[in-house]
Amino acid sequence: MYDNTVFVSYANAVFTEIRNTPLESLNTPSFRSGLLEALEAAESSTDDSGSHSHELRPIVESYNVHFLPLDPVSLRSTQASVYTFDGFPGLYLVRDFFTKEQCDALLLETLVDYINPPNNSNLYQNDPNVATPFWPSPVFSKLRWATIGHMYDWGTRTYKGYTKFPGLLVDVTRDLLSHFNEDYIPDVCAAIINFYSKAYFLRLHKDDAEETDDSVLNISLGAPAIFMLGGTDHSTIPVSFVVESGSVVLMADKSRFCLHGIVKLLSYNKPGYQPSGGLPINLHDPLYGRPQLLKLIPQCGAHVFSNIVRDTAAITRIREISNDLRVSISIRRAKR
């Protein structure tokens, strides 16, 4: 799933260039100039004969990190916007699937229930006697991942052991997939929960340890971040776009086994930054991986969260840390 070996390639060149570029410089001529140089350097390091600069230049000239503008329809309703991206079939971005209150509730459930033993995590794996609960406590800052349902073993890249999959995630997943004509079978599912900060990110990797090719659903909570998805190998120039709290990325069909990762969070680049008010793109311009509004769907139903008790004091603490912390809940069918 995760390759610690960082080698020169088109995909990694784009990843590194975006990560090293200040937020205010993204989607500018200087950014594209640096991106072209990085791609040409990646090309020269391969064994491939001949230059492809003439092919790279038009791609770079139309390359953007997609800061999608707010959709006026969804702002006036209880609907979520579903976007696709040209050239990346099976990739869907569902914006604002969760309300602010639902994001708070789901993040609280995650920190209170999902990350502690018997569910596995980097903390529990390194020290089975570690004190719990992890949040709120000093050890929480060292939490990088946790697994629930069929538990993923990062060392062997296999699923070992099982804990009960949370009913809330069952209902959330079933609700979303119903709009994509997909079924959901909770007893064979797993979720990997990743925690991102300024210092921690996730390089391009594949979710390919599962026994099925069913869709992967990635829920974003907390700070906005730049998500990237490429091809099945590192020769494809990836598409990149902002994912905000309450959004869901769905990787299905041909995008199911593509390289993907989180380049960086946005909160620490520009205090108070809101993606919708920063560098929105013009959807009418020539764009690599052009976003297309596919349809509007209802936001997650209120009934899904009807049994969740709202702890006002805990929600306040959650909001204090969520501006500089991104939590992703990646749900997939692990077993047949």
Side-chain angles (χ1 to χ4, degrees):
M1 180 177 182
Y2 180 73
D3 185 0
N4 284 311
T5 304
V6 180
F7 57 93
V8 178
S9 68
Y10 283 167
N12 282 330
V14 178
F15 185 100
T16 302
E17 191 65 25
I18 293 176
R19 178 159 180 82
N20 292 338
T21 300
L23 177 64
E24 61 272 14
S25 298
L26 290 174
N27 301 348
T28 64
S30 62
F31 161 69
R32 295 190 182 93
S33 176
L35 181 58
L36 181 60
E37 290 180 6
L39 289 170
E40 289 177 339
E43 179 188 50
S44 65
S45 69
T46 67
D47 295 330
D48 188 18
S49 59
S51 172
H52 296 86
S53 294
H54 64 288
E55 299 174 359
L56 293 174
R57 188 172 296 276
I59 293 176
V60 170
E61 289 176 350
S62 64
Y63 196 91
N64 278 278
V65 176
H66 297 315
F67 292 78
L68 292 168
L70 290 178
D71 183 79
V73 176
S74 62
L75 283 175
R76 296 194 302 268
S77 67
T78 56
Q79 293 179 301
S81 307
V82 180
Y83 283 86
T84 59
F85 297 86
D86 287 354
F88 295 87
L91 174 63
Y92 302 93
L93 171 62
V94 185
R95 300 184 72 199
D96 301 316
F97 183 65
F98 299 103
T99 66
K100 173 63 176 174
E101 292 72 23
Q102 290 173 341
C103 288
D104 291 339
L106 184 52
L107 184 54
L108 183 59
E109 287 292 302
T110 300
L111 299 190
V112 171
D113 291 333
Y114 303 166
I115 62 177
N116 294 307
N119 297 321
N120 198 16
S121 66
N122 65 296
L123 297 178
Y124 183 58
Q125 181 171 282
N126 293 336
D127 180 8
N129 297 314
V130 63
T132 57
F134 296 151
W135 183 86
S137 75
V139 75
F140 177 71
S141 63
K142 299 179 181 179
L143 183 64
R144 296 292 176 263
W145 56 264
T147 64
I148 51 180
H150 286 279
M151 292 186 289
Y152 183 74
D153 185 300
W154 295 77
T156 62
R157 301 187 71 253
T158 58
Y159 286 91
K160 296 180 179 180
Y162 180 80
T163 57
K164 182 176 175 58
F165 203 70
L168 177 58
L169 293 186
V170 171
D171 294 339
V172 161
T173 306
R174 182 176 287 128
D175 192 335
L176 177 66
L177 292 184
S178 68
H179 302 293
F180 293 87
N181 298 318
E182 290 194 34
D183 296 325
Y184 177 63
I185 307 174
D187 290 342
V188 294
C189 282
I192 298 176
I193 306 172
N194 286 304
F195 296 81
Y196 302 92
S197 63
K198 178 178 181 178
Y200 185 74
F201 58 96
L202 192 59
R203 288 194 176 275
L204 296 173
H205 64 282
K206 293 182 182 180
D207 293 341
D208 57 1
E210 295 74 34
E211 296 178 0
T212 77
D213 59 0
D214 290 29
S215 302
V216 171
L217 182 156
N218 192 293
I219 299 170
S220 293
L221 301 170
I226 297 176
F227 184 94
M228 179 177 287
L229 182 135
T232 55
D233 61 39
H234 284 77
S235 65
T236 299
I237 295 177
V239 64
S240 55
F241 52 89
V242 172
V243 287
E244 298 144 314
S245 187
S247 296
V248 181
V249 174
L250 186 67
M251 296 183 295
D253 302 324
K254 292 184 178 180
S255 289
R256 169 61 179 84
F257 294 105
C258 287
L259 293 158
H260 61 281
I262 291 294
V263 185
K264 60 183 175 184
L265 305 191
L266 300 186
S267 59
Y268 61 83
N269 291 86
K270 189 175 181 181
Y273 170 76
Q274 296 296 324
S276 58
L279 300 167
I281 60 173
N282 185 342
L283 296 181
H284 299 291
D285 290 341
L287 297 171
Y288 181 77
R290 175 190 296 275
Q292 303 274 10
L293 179 60
L294 176 66
K295 60 181 178 179
L296 298 175
I297 63 173
Q299 287 182 305
C300 187
H303 67 280
V304 172
F305 288 83
S306 60
N307 294 325
I308 303 300
V309 177
R310 183 175 176 83
D311 184 330
T312 304
I315 291 296
T316 299
R317 295 199 300 271
I318 286 287
R319 290 181 175 176
E320 289 174 352
I321 67 172
S322 61
N323 287 333
D324 293 301
L325 172 72
R326 179 183 187 269
V327 177
S328 72
I329 305 175
S330 183
I331 301 171
R332 72 283 309 278
R333 185 178 178 185
K335 300 288 185 177
R336 294 189 184 279

